[in-house]
Structures are given as structure tokens and as C-alpha cells.
């Protein structure tokens, strides 16, 4: 595992529960590349509007320049959307030369941590926040490569099992944004409930209040063929994807229950 | 079901896939109150920083003034956090009299929609974006009420089965923000894959490309007692919560596969 880290700048520094903060590529990149949805936010062009715009999107980290890059290498974030959307329009007009400043949040919910008192309750989670400049991908090669990456990030091996390559209309109507990341951090909570010393001394109360963890993960159910499907039963690569996704999800949620070493 | 809606303002109007846009209280409120995590974003006080701050948080919609309110009534959003965090500090200092402008995103991932071509792939999802002004809750009664609501929104009936009420330190260290919502919208995608007419005519290709939906939901696993638990086996209300959460999640994901009426 590499040691490369994002720079620790004020906007990315974890101040509350400092030991939960992580800045290394590997940790941050693996969180982003395993969530089904990221939340993107950015200032709107209307100076009268004080509310950032926010959108759920599909995103994926990879490197077009260094296609054999692993999760502990420098990567760009690719986001999938439509030219007609506000974000894509703004990325296109490129507010400044660097691109549109955006913040991306990716969160895994790994479990509910039930302590003696509501104030000590917590979640087990892995969250990452990334800051970067978004510009639209204009090169056909890079765009096609990113479309394939994003499709296969949703269901492994899906791209080659569909009607590809995209036609001219599809290439035009689909917009891919590349985000050059300038800062990022992750925050991870794992392990068992922790209670205040005073509560731990109250044995009568402790006999009454159950403490522990409820593990949580994203389940993928039985794939169901659509009404227009002519391709028979569920193909092996889809079955295998569903099986692995469930196994990994359960595994991570259960690993998160293990108290981390100090 | 009531007909009350949020005002349709430019920032909340759904332009892409317009029929997926919803503005009614019931739809928006039920999305927010059934997600385990919301994503909050807001402009940072540093005018040099172009990136909005973003945080995963726990949130819940309810009305302190009208405690018997249902999901189709006017509600406020309550967020749980810590006084030391940036958001809480800002909410406290109250940039302007109205409070801190924040955007809240809540998203359910209901399934993967596999079409003939990658460009027609989609997710089934229910997402809500809310805009409002955040101020800290200072009244003890309202704060206690909100803490109870938020705790029970994570695990039903948990509050009464813990060591309550919070002591003085806990009351001070826990901060609750109340968000007065000014605009909001939801976007919902449900149903089966839809492909372009040209692809639908290609029977040879259709025999090769499997199309359908993989339903997805948040699973809650077997609760596991912590090392300090003295309260015996998993209590009935926790078991019942886990069972219901799994049933509801699966049910929603499967309902989402039904093609909506035109």
C-alpha cells in the first residue's frame, strides 16, 4: 500500500474525533469507488442565491493518463450526467480557467452503534469529502473510456454485454465531467459502543440498557428480467456481481464491528 | 393525503425528466424521514474558498409547535451535531438574522436499471433536496424533544430504553439545529428499462443483451451485543425494528420495479 496523501488544508482537516480522519489516497479512493451514489455540491451562478446546489450522481475515480493506476495512485474523479443539467452547463462554460469548484461527498453507512445513553450513540461509517475543479471531457477516447469505467463500476462486466459503442447521438447527449481533486479527507468510525465512566459504573442501569451494534449494508436482490427482455435468464456475470456485492457489503459491515487498534 | 406543496422556485425546479419531479410535502418528507444519512452543504465563511462545505449528518423532519403533525403537514428539519463543528458554530453565530442557508440532500438507492445500451441505464431512486435556514435550538424543551425524536428515528423506541434524560454536560455538548425550509423538491425514478426504438427493433442484439432491474435496499443484520453489554440477549424492540427495516426496504425496492402509470 502506498503512502501518498492529499494535502491537509483547513477545508479538509478533521477536527472533531481527530483520529478518525484519514488523508491517504487508498482510503479515500476506495470509499468513493464503492458507493453507488455520490452527492455533489457547488455554488450556483446566481449571487442572490445563498444555497449551494446539490445533486446525487454516479462517480468513479480513475486515471486516463495512467490506466493501470491503483487506488493508491493519483486519480481523477469522473462524474456522469447530462449536458442539459445545471452542473454540466456550468462545467462547460467553465466559470474560471480551472473549471467549476465542486465538493463531492461519499458515505457508507456500516452500522448503528447502541450505547447506554443516546448521546453516546453513533453510526459506524466511512465517509469521504473531496474538493476539485470540474471540466467536461471533450476528447472522444477519454469519454468512451470513462463511460465504460462508469458502466462497469455499477455492474462489473456490463459494458461488453450491452449494445456498444454508443452512437453519435448518445456520445453527444452524454456528458462526462472530469474533476481534478485538490484536497480530500475521509472520516471512519468503526468498533463497539463507548460510554462515559460514570454510566459504566451504574450496574443496575447497565442490566436494563442493551448495548451493541446493528451492522448495515446495501443489499442487492434477485435480478428481475424486464418485460422487453429477449435474452433469457439472468446471465452469469450479473448473478456473480450481485453475489459479490452482497458478500462484500456484509463483510465490511461485520469488519466495522471489530474495535480498531489504538 | 394532503395536497400541500413547497413553492416551485428556480433552484428547486426539476428540468431534466420533468415528470419525475415532485413538490408535495408527503413525498419529500417521507424520503427524508426514511434515510439513515442526509448530506448537508453550505457556503464556508471564507470568501476565498470556492468549495461548499459538505457533511453527512442525521436529520429528521417534525414539528415542535404541532407535535401531532403528519408527513403532509408543514415540518421543520432537525439536524444533530456538535457545537465544536463548523456547521454548528456558523449556525450559532447566525450569519444573518434568518440563520445559515443550507442545502440538504436525501437519497434512496432503490435499484439498478439495466437497459440495452449503457446510455439508457439508470437507477431507481428517490431523492429529495431541501433548502432552508439553520439556527441552533436553544430552548431546553424543544432540544430534549428533538433528541428523543432523532434517537427514535434511528431505532424505534430506543430513547425510553436507554439512560435518559441526558445530564447537564450532554445537554450542553449536544447541539441540535432547526432548519426552516423555504424550498424543496424530490425526484423519483421507478419502473423498468426503456430503450430507444431503434435498439428495440434489433432482435438479434436483444437476444444477447439481458435487460431488467436489480432491486437494492439497506439491510440491517443480526444485532451483536457489545463487550460491555450486561443486559442479556437482544431486546424485542431492537429485533422488531431490524425486522421491519428489512421488510420495508425490500418492499420499497420491489415496488420501485413496477412501471408507474402514465
Amino acid at each position: 500500500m502506498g503512502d501518498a496523501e492529499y494535502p491537509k488544508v483547513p477545508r479538509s482537516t478533521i477536527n472533531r474525533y481527530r483520529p478518525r480522519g484519514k488523508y491517504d489516497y487508498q482510503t479515500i479512493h476506495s470509499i468513493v469507488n464503492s458507493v453507488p451514489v455520490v452527492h455533489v455540491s457547488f455554488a450556483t451562478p446566481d449571487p442572490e442565491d445563498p444555497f449551494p446546489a446539490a445533486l446525487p450522481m454516479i462517480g468513479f475515480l480513475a486515471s486516463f493518463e495512467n490506466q493501470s493506476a491503483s487506488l493508491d495512485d493519483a486519480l481523477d474523479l469522473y462524474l456522469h450526467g447530462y449536458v442539459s443539467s445545471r452542473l454540466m452547463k456550468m462545467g462547460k462554460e467553465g466559470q474560471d480557467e480551472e473549471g467549476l469548484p465542486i465538493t463531492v461527498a461519499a458515505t457508507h453507512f456500516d452500522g448503528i452503534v447502541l450505547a447506554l445513553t443516546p448521546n453516546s450513540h453513533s453510526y459506524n461509517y466511512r465517509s469521504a469529502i473531496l474538493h476539485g475543479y470540474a471540466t467536461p471531457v471533450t476528447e472522444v477516447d477519454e469519454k468512451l473510456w470513462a463511460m465504460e469505467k462508469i458502466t462497469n463500476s455499477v455492474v462489473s462486466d456490463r459494458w461488453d454485454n450491452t449494445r456498444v459503442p454508443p452512437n453519435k447521438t448518445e456520445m453527444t447527449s452524454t456528458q462526462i465531467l472530469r474533476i481534478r481533486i485538490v484536497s480530500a479527507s475521509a472520516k471512519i468510525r468503526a468498533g463497539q459502543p463507548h460510554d462515559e465512566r460514570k454510566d459504566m459504573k451504574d450496574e443496575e442501569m447497565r442490566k436494563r440498557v442493551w448495548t451493541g451494534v446493528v451492522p448495515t449494508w446495501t443489499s442487492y436482490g434477485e435480478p428481475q428480467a424486464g418485460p422487453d427482455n429477449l435474452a433469457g435468464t439472468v446471465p452469469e456475470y450479473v448473478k456473480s456481481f450481485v453475489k459479490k456485492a452482497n458478500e462484500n457489503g456484509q463483510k465490511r459491515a461485520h469488519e466495522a464491528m471489530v474495535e480498531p487498534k489504538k
Side-chain angles (χ1 to χ4, degrees), chain A:
Chain A
M1 196 188 292
D3 297 326
E5 292 206 338
Y6 285 104
K8 223 164 152 175
V9 296
R11 84 168 76 86
S12 69
T13 305
I14 306 294
N15 294 311
R16 174 90 191 170
Y17 294 123
R18 213 169 287 235
R20 294 184 187 171
K22 305 283 170 202
Y23 303 87
D24 64 289
Y25 283 0
Q26 175 80 33
T27 302
I28 294 166
H29 295 170
S30 28
I31 291 170
V32 176
N33 278 8
S34 54
V35 290
V37 175
V38 297
H39 285 89
V40 174
S41 50
F42 53 94
T44 57
D46 177 2
E48 300 288 298
D49 189 348
F51 301 101
L55 287 171
M57 291 185 89
I58 302 181
F60 195 77
L61 286 153
S63 171
F64 184 63
E65 304 302 324
N66 175 18
Q67 297 190 11
S68 59
S70 63
L71 289 173
D72 56 5
D73 288 316
L75 301 175
D76 295 311
L77 178 63
Y78 288 86
L79 292 174
H80 170 263
Y82 297 95
V83 273
S84 56
S85 80
R86 277 182 302 173
L87 177 57
M88 297 293 159
K89 261 188 222 158
M90 290 176 70
K92 215 165 187 179
E93 284 154 19
Q95 290 189 307
D96 51 55
E97 278 180 32
E98 294 205 86
L100 176 75
I102 70 167
T103 302
V104 179
T107 306
H108 281 286
F109 169 46
D110 290 331
I112 303 173
V113 182
L114 299 167
L116 292 171
T117 168
N119 293 62
S120 297
H121 279 55
S122 190
Y123 277 176
N124 281 336
Y125 63 88
R126 289 164 286 146
S127 75
I129 307 287
L130 297 83
H131 310 98
Y133 291 95
T135 45
V137 175
T138 48
E139 291 291 327
V140 173
D141 282 1
E142 185 175 1
K143 199 166 175 177
L144 256 176
W145 168 86
M147 284 160 90
E148 179 171 345
K149 278 275 179 195
I150 290 172
T151 304
N152 288 339
S153 84
V154 172
V155 174
S156 323
D157 300 326
R158 180 65 183 167
W159 182 266
D160 285 337
N161 288 291
T162 58
R163 194 273 290 150
V164 281
N167 60 35
K168 214 174 158 184
T169 318
E170 289 168 342
M171 284 302 285
T172 318
S173 69
T174 307
Q175 192 87 359
I176 304 284
L177 281 182
R178 186 203 315 106
I179 288 86
R180 185 174 65 80
I181 302 163
V182 293
S183 57
S185 56
K187 202 169 176 182
I188 297 177
R189 199 277 178 205
Q192 293 293 325
H194 298 290
D195 277 286
E196 298 296 329
R197 201 170 303 178
K198 206 176 149 190
D199 287 313
M200 289 296 283
K201 283 183 184 157
D202 186 344
E203 291 225 356
E204 277 316 297
M205 180 267 287
R206 286 178 58 193
K207 282 179 188 159
R208 188 175 62 78
V209 180
W210 188 87
T211 57
V213 179
V214 181
T216 56
W217 64 92
T218 302
S219 266
Y220 293 74
E222 199 67 46
Q224 185 190 290
D228 299 325
N229 177 57
L230 299 184
T233 55
V234 185
E236 214 41 61
Y237 73 94
V238 175
K239 279 189 197 165
S240 154
F241 158 77
V242 166
K243 192 165 171 274
K244 276 185 200 155
N246 285 323
E247 282 170 2
N248 288 341
Q250 277 201 59
K251 189 166 163 263
R252 290 307 302 250
H254 287 85
E255 282 169 359
M257 295 198 288
V258 178
E259 191 64 21
K261 286 176 196 139
K262 287 270 156 87

